[in-house]
Amino acid sequence: MVLGEYKGIKPDQDFYIADKSLVLFYQLYDLTPYVYGIPYFPISIYAIQDIIEDESPLGQMFG
């Protein structure tokens, strides 16, 4: 992969859940040089609530 070339979200994409957000993150050098740190993209669960399954960890946050 060429540095900076975005190929989309992979099935095994790194992520975590924090503050009612799904946070996608990439490893160093996947998208940017080291100086920019680890790139991450928080997505509000409310922005994607139409595709979240009720029984999933994100779905349970709507309680």
Side-chain angles (χ1 to χ4, degrees):
M1 180 166 150
V2 175
L3 188 61
E5 182 181 335
Y6 183 69
K7 295 287 188 177
I9 297 172
K10 302 176 288 187
D12 62 344
Q13 177 65 52
D14 293 323
F15 72 93
Y16 60 92
I17 299 169
D19 300 326
K20 301 223 179 208
S21 294
L22 171 66
V23 182
L24 304 178
F25 69 96
Y26 294 84
Q27 299 301 318
L28 289 174
Y29 302 110
D30 277 354
L31 297 178
T32 60
Y34 175 81
V35 68
Y36 292 104
I38 296 175
Y40 65 96
F41 304 93
I43 303 168
S44 168
I45 62 170
Y46 300 106
I48 57 173
Q49 67 185 5
D50 294 341
I51 61 171
I52 296 174
E53 295 181 16
D54 292 337
E55 299 303 318
S56 70
L58 288 176
Q60 293 177 11
M61 295 178 84
F62 288 109

